[in-house]
Amino acid sequence: MIKASETLGQVVGYHPEMILAGRRLNDGMGAYVAGQLIKQMIKRRIQVEGAKVLVMGLTFKENCPDLRNTRVVDILKELADYNIAVDVYDPQVNKAEAEAEYGICPVDEPQPGTYDAIILAVAHREFRELGAQGIRAWGKPEHVLYDLKYLLPKKSVDLRL
């Protein structure tokens, strides 16, 4: 018998406050990632407003073209609030689908020496194969490399989630 102060979910082991706390944490990750990147750029004296950032990966998970439920768009929205120009590069994604679903036009290939910061957001095998040196080639001489997925060795990146 369920006590008046309990819900059926609590009786069977579900704790809604834990689920809601997890949801709040996920919902705030875009802002957290953007904030950490901005702090690192400021420390390096990289101009934030008008900066150009490359976000590597848009899909929901690695090595898969599925865009449903991707949280990378949250990072993109947060960076836009800082007047940062963002390019998205994802060799796995269907570009027409990204445009239709999110209004995002992924670049075909990032240009070398272009970016003030690079965020490695999805751990696609193509990115692993590039390695830190290949990825950093897209950055300006002074840039920040933020590895959200621990794809690269720690000593090769400036920030990790």
Side-chain angles (χ1 to χ4, degrees), residues 88-91 95 105-110:
V88 174
Y89 175 57
D90 192 324
K95 292 178 184 176
C105 296
V107 297
D108 291 324
E109 183 76 24

Side-chain angles (χ1 to χ4, degrees), residues 2-148:
I2 299 174
K3 297 177 189 173
S5 63
E6 293 180 317
T7 67
L8 178 60
Q10 289 168 321
V11 170
V12 294
Y14 294 107
H15 299 282
E17 50 289 330
M18 289 296 290
I19 294 168
L20 293 172
R23 171 68 50 130
R24 282 190 299 276
L25 182 64
N26 272 350
D27 289 347
M29 284 309 290
Y32 178 79
V33 167
Q36 293 300 302
L37 179 66
I38 299 304
K39 286 178 188 177
Q40 188 66 28
M41 290 173 71
I42 291 168
K43 285 180 185 176
R44 296 260 181 111
R45 300 188 193 288
I46 297 171
Q47 175 69 37
V48 173
E49 187 169 357
K52 191 149 186 176
V53 173
L54 176 65
V55 174
M56 298 179 66
L58 179 62
T59 62
F60 176 68
K61 65 180 188 171
E62 67 274 0
N63 307 317
C64 174
D66 192 357
L67 288 172
R68 292 173 298 166
N69 302 314
T70 182
R71 300 310 295 249
V72 176
V73 294
D74 298 341
I75 298 168
L76 303 177
K77 289 175 188 171
E78 290 292 330
L79 292 173
D81 287 345
Y82 289 94
N83 295 320
I84 292 174
V86 179
D87 282 347
V88 174
Y89 175 57
D90 192 324
Q92 296 276 336
V93 78
N94 177 308
K95 292 178 184 176
E97 186 180 342
E99 172 72 32
E101 189 69 29
Y102 299 108
I104 296 168
C105 296
V107 297
D108 291 324
E109 183 76 24
Q111 295 302 306
T114 301
Y115 300 98
D116 296 293
I118 301 168
I119 300 174
L120 186 50
V122 182
H124 292 318
R125 72 180 138 270
E126 293 91 340
F127 302 158
R128 184 182 310 278
E129 290 167 4
L130 280 169
Q133 186 175 2
I135 293 168
R136 282 196 180 275
W138 292 323
K140 291 179 179 177
E142 184 64 32
H143 68 277
V144 174
L145 177 55
Y146 192 175
D147 185 357
L148 303 182

